[in-house]
Amino acid sequence: MMDTIFGKIARGEIPADIVYEDEDVVAFRDLHPQAPIHILVIPRKPIRTLNDLEAADAELVGRLFLAARKVAEREGIAAAGYRTVINCNAAAGQTVFHLHLHLLGGRPLRWPPG
Ligand code: 5GP
């Protein structure tokens, strides 16, 4: 697949405010936060979209969510509540084609979103 800015962040080639990383997952603050806490959790593996997930990625997806949970706890928003969002393709607003989970919190979040 085409390289993306998130691939470069995952490989440490461009800077980001990284809040968590392990062998499979990297989490960093969004450049244009939509909430007081807005963190992107990505797999190091470059998967374009949710549509491109394969059965073999099942454990990796679990790791993404476990990382999100850990970051939410560290950021102090676990008890109050937070939202996780994965945008898939253009109609959902996906702009970076490297799978990523948005972790949003730190203020009351409206539902449904726009
Ligand atoms: P999407 O719209 O694809 O679901 O979300 C992409 C997100 O990546 C947006 O919220 C945008 O602000 C964020 N973003 C885009 N480029 C960069 C970057 O270079 N660094 C960081 N930290 N976030 C970025």
Side-chain angles (χ1 to χ4, degrees):
M1 78 172 236
M2 293 269 291
D3 194 19
T4 68
I5 197 109
F6 290 178
K8 292 184 169 67
I9 289 173
R11 294 192 300 273
E13 293 169 8
I14 60 166
D17 187 354
I18 292 175
V19 295
Y20 174 84
E21 61 182 321
D22 63 28
E23 203 179 313
D24 300 307
V25 173
V26 183
F28 50 93
R29 295 190 195 281
D30 196 292
L31 207 53
H32 305 290
Q34 305 300 314
I37 293 172
H38 186 173
I39 289 164
L40 302 169
V41 187
I42 70 168
R44 290 190 190 274
K45 179 181 175 184
I47 299 167
R48 265 180 64 78
T49 78
L50 206 56
N51 289 340
D52 300 293
L53 271 185
E54 295 168 355
D57 298 318
E59 189 178 333
L60 181 57
V61 173
R63 290 181 189 278
L64 271 192
F65 278 94
L66 286 170
R69 188 193 76 174
K70 190 172 291 187
V71 171
E73 284 166 2
R74 284 186 185 172
E75 295 288 321
I77 56 172
Y82 57 91
R83 182 171 295 159
T84 58
V85 175
I86 296 177
N87 296 325
C88 181
N89 275 339
Q94 185 175 6
T95 57
V96 180
F97 288 85
H98 181 129
L99 183 69
H100 52 281
L101 178 157
H102 295 258
L103 169 64
L104 297 143
R107 66 165 168 80
L109 299 166
R110 280 179 299 126
W111 188 261

